[in-house]
Amino acid sequence: MEVFAVRTVIGATDRVVIVGAGLGGLACAIRLAAAGRQVTVLEREEVPGGRAGRLTDGEFGFDTGPTVLTMPDLLDDTLATVGENRADWLDLVRLDPSYRAHFPDGSTLDIRSTTAGTAAEIARVCGPKEADSFLHFADYARGMYEIEWNSFIDRNFDSPMDLLGRDLARLVAAGGFRRLGPKIASFFHDPRTRRIFSFQSLYAGVAPDRALALYSVISYLDTVAGVWFPRGGIHAVPVALARVAAKHGVDIRYGRTVTEVELDGSRARSVHTADGERIAADVVVLNPDLPVVYRDLLHRPLRRALRYSPSCVVLHVGATAGYGRIAHHNIHFGTAWRRTFRQIIDAGRLMSDPSILVCNPTATDSSLAPSGAHTYYVLAPVPNLTAGIDWASIGEHYADELLRTLEQRGYRGLNSAITVRHLVTPADWARAGMAAGTPFAAAHLFSQTGPLRPGNLAPGLDNVVFVGSGTQPGVGVPMVLLSARLAAERITGDQR
């Protein structure tokens, strides 16, 4: 592996204040504590987690953010910096199937926990030639991951010129800068497999036919490398990180809303809280959404306009009805495909024939609901707030429409079995501090990818560092955990 020298913050780094106890802020705090820094974390909520939060209603517990956990080795790496083992803090279950895809023709296809298992499933549903195509795709996606990881993902960039090197030539030769949709189509012939191995581009905020093929690495993580679920829900991850951080000397203060980063010329001197406290700092690390940080804490404009990912509506449902034909993660594809992306991304309209993610966590962990009941996390991609949709007026009606669609797709009797229902719309994401009302941050367009994505050193400031999905390397639990390592290295230098 090549070693890259990167810029670090200027001046003393003994006292670090981190704003936000999300996954990125907490993982960064652990790494800095391991490096001997005095770390204070300020979190406005009464619990850790940020976007990976928890909604509790009676005996029902819902994850409010991500439902998919890949690359648990990044958690291992974080905890190992302070001599801890993941098994002492988290109980992870590898999901099998990772996903179950439900198609309009009534067929289903499972993405299994092993490559051989998925190939056998594809052979059953689509035929042996398509299964062979999957094996070729798995090799290709694994190769893209190996090319990209050290040189383009797991490293800090100071300039786009840092991209130059042998691995850039390899990435170009592998077709990484072509479009993902056509690349997937070069492997698969069945429209069902084309969908299941390309829908992940929406995580990056881009339609498959416009996303770069280098984002096949997301498909690799989701469909080849494996998916895990922590008992207690994804929220158990930040809870564990917070406990580890506290054990190793990090001062986490909940219920503290930061209102300003105090600047003196090019240096941050302290942060101020809503209750009048001033906490001095040698370095300030900011975990909230990047555009909101600039607007509300640094009180300065972003140096560039960003284009944001589509958003989503999430419906948290507690119900007495259970369904034996579903898995933990279920993707229900509508008949339409390309049209749906044009509607939500280009036209700013709701999908007329939606593809919907339904997560059923109680299929794996029954403790998340009362005896005999189940939890469902229903997610539908929708335009972000730049589309001008009035969610206060249409939100509940749209939720009703989603439930009717699910009833038509096999969830018979769900609506009448609901005992708990909570709706989250783009307006709610905005109130929670997410720019454009999307939890998926800036879209991973070419101009917002790699070193072209906003960096983690604040321009013009000597000692302000960003962490989280708004900065490099990007969106998703693995990338956010990785952003913590990259942010910490801006303070301590490369400890690897």
Side-chain angles (χ1 to χ4, degrees), residues 258-453:
V258 174
T259 56
E260 181 181 12
V261 177
E262 178 188 330
L263 300 176
D264 179 10
S266 63
R267 291 198 68 79
R269 299 295 183 186
S270 69
V271 299
H272 294 251
T273 66
D275 56 2
E277 189 176 10
R278 177 184 184 273
I279 300 125
D282 296 318
V283 181
V284 174
V285 178
L286 299 171
N287 192 188
D289 204 12
L290 195 70
V292 175
V293 160
Y294 273 93
R295 183 191 70 202
D296 295 347
L297 303 184
L298 297 176
H299 306 299
R300 53 173 61 192
L302 272 167
R303 292 192 173 186
R304 57 187 285 202
L306 296 174
R307 289 181 60 186
Y308 298 99
S309 297
S311 185
C312 62
V313 161
V314 173
L315 187 59
H316 299 288
V317 169
T320 54
Y323 303 91
R325 64 183 294 269
I326 66 172
H328 186 114
H329 288 117
N330 305 272
I331 304 169
H332 297 269
F333 290 104
T335 303
W337 184 238
R338 290 188 178 182
R339 186 180 80 221
T340 63
F341 297 110
R342 289 196 295 269
Q343 286 174 329
I344 62 174
I345 296 175
D346 297 337
R349 304 201 324 261
L350 299 174
M351 293 181 291
S352 56
D353 182 18
S355 292
I356 303 170
L357 168 70
V358 178
C359 182
N360 177 211
T362 43
T364 304
D365 185 354
S366 61
S367 71
L368 296 170
S371 178
H374 302 270
T375 59
Y376 300 96
Y377 174 110
V378 181
L379 182 150
V382 299
N384 63 42
L385 287 184
T386 62
I389 295 173
D390 182 1
W391 287 103
S393 298
I394 75 159
E396 292 295 341
H397 297 294
Y398 186 63
D400 291 339
E401 184 178 320
L402 288 178
L403 289 172
R404 284 193 294 271
T405 299
L406 289 179
E407 293 255 3
Q408 294 165 4
R409 295 184 185 179
Y411 293 79
R412 304 296 183 192
L414 176 60
N415 211 3
S416 60
I418 291 174
T419 58
V420 168
R421 167 174 155 164
H422 295 274
L423 175 66
V424 183
T425 74
D428 297 305
W429 298 123
R431 280 190 287 271
M434 299 171 208
T438 174
F440 304 114
H444 282 262
L445 307 168
F446 175 78
S447 60
Q448 297 177 167
T449 292
L452 302 179
R453 196 169 183 81

Side-chain angles (χ1 to χ4, degrees), residues 150-171:
N150 288 331
S151 294
F152 304 104
I153 299 175
D154 187 15
R155 62 169 292 194
N156 277 302
F157 291 98
D158 291 325
S159 162
M161 298 299 291
D162 293 343
L163 278 174
L164 300 179
R166 179 174 58 89
D167 283 341
L168 179 60
R170 293 175 63 203
L171 187 60

Side-chain angles (χ1 to χ4, degrees), residues 96-306:
D96 189 15
S98 302
Y99 291 94
R100 178 165 294 160
H102 304 253
F103 298 102
D105 64 359
S107 63
T108 63
L109 191 155
D110 284 355
I111 300 300
R112 306 308 300 255
S113 62
T114 66
T115 301
T118 300
E121 175 73 355
I122 292 175
R124 180 188 68 82
V125 177
C126 307
K129 288 186 178 179
E130 201 74 349
D132 288 342
S133 296
F134 164 70
L135 294 175
H136 290 303
F137 169 74
D139 287 341
Y140 170 79
R142 186 180 296 109
M144 292 293 281
Y145 168 82
E146 291 169 353
I147 292 171
E148 293 178 44
W149 187 256
N150 288 331
S151 294
F152 304 104
I153 299 175
D154 187 15
R155 62 169 292 194
N156 277 302
F157 291 98
D158 291 325
S159 162
M161 298 299 291
D162 293 343
L163 278 174
L164 300 179
R166 179 174 58 89
D167 283 341
L168 179 60
R170 293 175 63 203
L171 187 60
V172 172
F177 292 99
R178 298 174 189 168
R179 298 301 173 187
L180 178 65
K183 189 65 180 178
I184 294 294
S186 73
F187 289 99
F188 299 104
H189 303 285
D190 193 300
R192 293 170 294 186
T193 48
R194 288 181 176 183
R195 290 187 184 192
I196 197 64
F197 293 109
S198 66
F199 83 90
Q200 294 87 356
S201 72
L202 202 59
Y203 296 162
V206 189
D209 60 349
R210 296 182 183 177
L212 297 176
L214 58 87
Y215 284 112
S216 60
V217 69
I218 307 178
S219 302
Y220 168 74
L221 295 178
D222 258 18
T223 63
V224 180
V227 173
W228 280 257
F229 183 74
R231 294 200 182 276
I234 296 289
H235 181 64
V237 176
V239 169
L241 293 178
R243 289 173 177 167
V244 170
K247 176 182 175 181
H248 291 275
V250 176
D251 179 13
I252 305 178
R253 306 179 191 178
Y254 297 106
R256 304 294 178 89
T257 299
V258 174
T259 56
E260 181 181 12
V261 177
E262 178 188 330
L263 300 176
D264 179 10
S266 63
R267 291 198 68 79
R269 299 295 183 186
S270 69
V271 299
H272 294 251
T273 66
D275 56 2
E277 189 176 10
R278 177 184 184 273
I279 300 125
D282 296 318
V283 181
V284 174
V285 178
L286 299 171
N287 192 188
D289 204 12
L290 195 70
V292 175
V293 160
Y294 273 93
R295 183 191 70 202
D296 295 347
L297 303 184
L298 297 176
H299 306 299
R300 53 173 61 192
L302 272 167
R303 292 192 173 186
R304 57 187 285 202
L306 296 174

